[in-house]
């Protein structure tokens, strides 16, 4: 009899949700960044181990919305936790809970399907870790509390064990050999955004969107044209870099990752465009692919 389980990963930005998803899947699906709030859409990762299919959803972090894009991210986070059989709630040892986390933990405590994951044990003080486990288990209601390092993979296998009670007898919803239901185009734009966020450092915060304008698959070549949208002329200059050097780096790294993931040669053509205040304009948000549907 086949079994399926829907798992939602939630937690504050930067707590390590995408890293955990990638570690559990053993493949790069969600983008990982040192900057918070880079996972904009729900990312679904799928892992099939024999009879069991695990369907993971990574969500944008718990935070206060500042604009339309923020509102949209909160909506997605809410619906992802309602649709799940089990919720992995990530916190970081020794880092005080923010208001959104406290509220979410209170709410999560009312249901019987929450596993608390205490992440980044590789950099946590042992005493602080022990105190965190004690305090949170006393105050809230969890099915299990698991200290892990999503980065090194330490203790992450236990998560599969603790998910066992939530398995539901059912057919598999996805083919057994796929790792994500995200269209390849979106993986591509996420890869490019990840490189931009990493290489640009703090110079340009979150006012960047990547739109895949053209996506052609030939025998063993993927030909992709992407447009990078930013909010100011000055940002455009920085993204392009001196003699195009920055854009070239972004393109090279994104191409190398994409070639590894898809196992084909990739031709990547990058363009930079300015659209002012795109974050507060609903039409543009829909245009950039962040709609509800
Ligand atoms: P998200 O915003 O919750 O999806 O967080 P990410 O997965 O993007 O991770 C944010 C940052 O924390 C990245 O720099 C990760 O490398 C880092 N990180 C994630 N998990 C761990 C961990 O277990 N240990 C350490 N030391 N760093 C981690
Ligand atoms: Mg993330």
């Amino acid at each position: 009899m086949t079994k399926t389980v829907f798992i939602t990963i939630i937690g504050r930005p930067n707590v390590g949700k995408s890293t955990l998803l990638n570690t559990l899947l053993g493949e790069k699906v969600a983008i990982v960044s040192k900057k918070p709030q880079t996972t904009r859409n729900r990312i679904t990762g799928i892992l099939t181990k024999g009879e069991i299919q695990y369907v993971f959803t990574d969500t944008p972090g718990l935070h206060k919305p500042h604009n339309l894009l923020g509102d949209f991210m909160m909506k997605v986070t809410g619906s992802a936790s309602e649709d799940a059989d089990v919720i992995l709630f990530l916190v970081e040892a020794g880092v005080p809970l923010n208001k959104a986390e406290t509220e979410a933990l209170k709410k999560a405590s009312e249901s019987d399907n929450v596993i608390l994951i205490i992440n980044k044990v590789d950099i946590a003080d042992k005493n602080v870790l022990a105190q965190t486990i004690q305090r949170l288990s006393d105050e809230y209601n969890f099915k299990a509390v698991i200290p892990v390092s999503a980065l090194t993979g330490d203790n992450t296998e236990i998560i599969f064990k603790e998910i066992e009670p939530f398995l539901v007898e059912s057919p598999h919803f996805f083919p057994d050999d796929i790792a994500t239901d995200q269209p390849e185009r979106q993986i591509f734009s996420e890869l490019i955004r990840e490189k931009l966020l990493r290489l640009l450092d703090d110079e340009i915060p979150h006012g960047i969107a990547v739109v895949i304008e053209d996506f052609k698959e030939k025998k063993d070549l993927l030909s992709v044209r992407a447009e990078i949208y930013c909010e100011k002329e000055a940002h455009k200059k920085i993204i392009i870099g001196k003699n195009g050097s920055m854009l070239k780096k972004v393109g090279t790294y994104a191409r190398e990752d994409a070639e590894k993931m898809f196992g084909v040669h990739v031709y990547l053509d990058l363009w930079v465009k300015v659209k002012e205040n795109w974050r507060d304009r609903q039409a543009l948000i829909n245009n950039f692919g962040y709609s509800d549907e």
Side-chain angles (χ1 to χ4, degrees):
M1 181 48 106
T2 57
K3 292 173 182 170
T4 313
V5 61
F6 285 83
I7 304 149
T8 289
I9 305 178
I10 62 176
R12 159 181 81 63
N14 238 15
V15 72
K17 298 179 293 299
S18 300
T19 307
L20 182 66
L21 180 56
N22 290 332
T23 298
L24 294 175
L25 294 175
E27 187 174 334
K28 197 162 187 179
V29 172
I31 68 167
V32 178
S33 164
K34 285 206 165 64
K35 285 195 199 2
Q37 297 168 35
T38 51
T39 312
R40 286 183 176 168
N41 274 325
R42 292 169 57 165
I43 301 276
T44 303
I46 297 141
L47 178 68
T48 309
K49 280 188 181 172
E51 298 285 87
I52 307 170
Q53 184 158 79
Y54 303 86
V55 184
F56 291 95
T57 304
D58 177 16
T59 61
L62 296 164
H63 64 100
K64 283 215 186 91
H66 294 298
N67 49 34
L68 282 179
L69 182 58
D71 285 345
F72 171 72
M73 287 168 64
M74 287 303 281
K75 240 196 233 166
V76 178
T77 311
S79 68
S81 48
E82 276 163 24
D83 296 343
D85 296 315
V86 55
I87 294 166
L88 304 181
F89 200 120
L90 264 73
V91 296
E92 214 177 304
V95 177
L97 301 178
N98 68 25
K99 208 166 159 238
E101 276 176 307
T102 313
E103 274 164 29
L105 273 175
K106 257 190 226 145
K107 196 160 167 237
S109 276
E110 290 165 13
S111 62
D112 263 337
N113 62 346
V114 181
I115 295 175
L116 182 72
I117 309 281
I118 302 179
N119 192 30
K120 309 199 186 181
V121 297
D122 56 308
I123 51 171
D125 176 276
K126 293 276 169 298
N127 290 327
V128 172
L129 176 62
Q131 282 163 16
T132 306
I133 294 174
Q134 187 66 51
R135 192 165 38 80
L136 293 178
S137 333
D138 284 351
E139 205 161 329
Y140 304 98
N141 164 40
F142 302 112
K143 270 289 173 207
V145 177
I146 314 172
V148 306
S149 170
L151 195 62
T152 66
D154 200 22
N155 219 31
T156 50
E157 278 297 312
I158 309 285
I159 294 173
F160 290 111
K161 188 108 199 78
E162 296 291 350
I163 286 173
E164 269 173 26
F166 299 98
L167 298 174
V168 179
E169 282 193 5
S170 103
H172 291 173
F173 291 88
F174 300 94
D176 288 357
D177 58 353
I178 67 165
T180 176
D181 74 342
Q182 294 287 300
E184 286 154 355
R185 278 172 175 251
Q186 187 172 340
I187 292 179
F188 241 99
S189 70
E190 292 274 302
L191 275 177
I192 296 166
R193 278 178 32 91
E194 177 195 29
K195 306 306 169 209
L196 285 165
L197 292 173
R198 189 176 297 160
L199 292 169
L200 294 175
D201 234 359
D202 289 322
E203 282 177 289
I204 302 170
H206 297 286
I208 291 183
V210 178
V211 179
I212 306 300
E213 287 293 334
D214 194 39
F215 192 96
K216 281 200 198 82
E217 284 180 80
K218 290 169 199 148
K219 230 176 122 215
D220 55 356
L221 178 76
L222 261 182
S223 176
V224 180
R225 191 165 71 91
E227 287 180 354
I228 298 165
Y229 286 88
C230 57
E231 293 182 313
K232 296 197 175 100
E233 274 301 328
H235 291 170
K236 181 174 166 178
K237 279 216 183 86
I238 297 171
I239 294 171
I240 292 173
K242 214 173 171 201
N243 299 321
S245 55
M246 179 56 79
L247 197 59
K248 194 163 170 207
K249 246 194 237 171
V250 170
T252 304
Y253 291 152
R255 181 177 51 75
E256 284 172 358
D257 268 13
E259 288 185 336
K260 257 185 249 152
M261 281 179 77
F262 298 118
V264 293
H265 292 292
V266 171
Y267 171 75
L268 183 57
D269 192 16
L270 288 179
W271 295 84
V272 186
K273 295 198 169 163
V274 179
K275 282 222 160 114
E276 277 170 34
N277 298 324
W278 64 265
R279 274 187 288 187
D280 282 327
R281 288 154 66 185
Q282 189 62 52
L284 276 176
I285 289 179
N286 294 341
N287 237 345
F288 282 123
Y290 304 128
S291 75
D292 251 345
E293 291 300 287

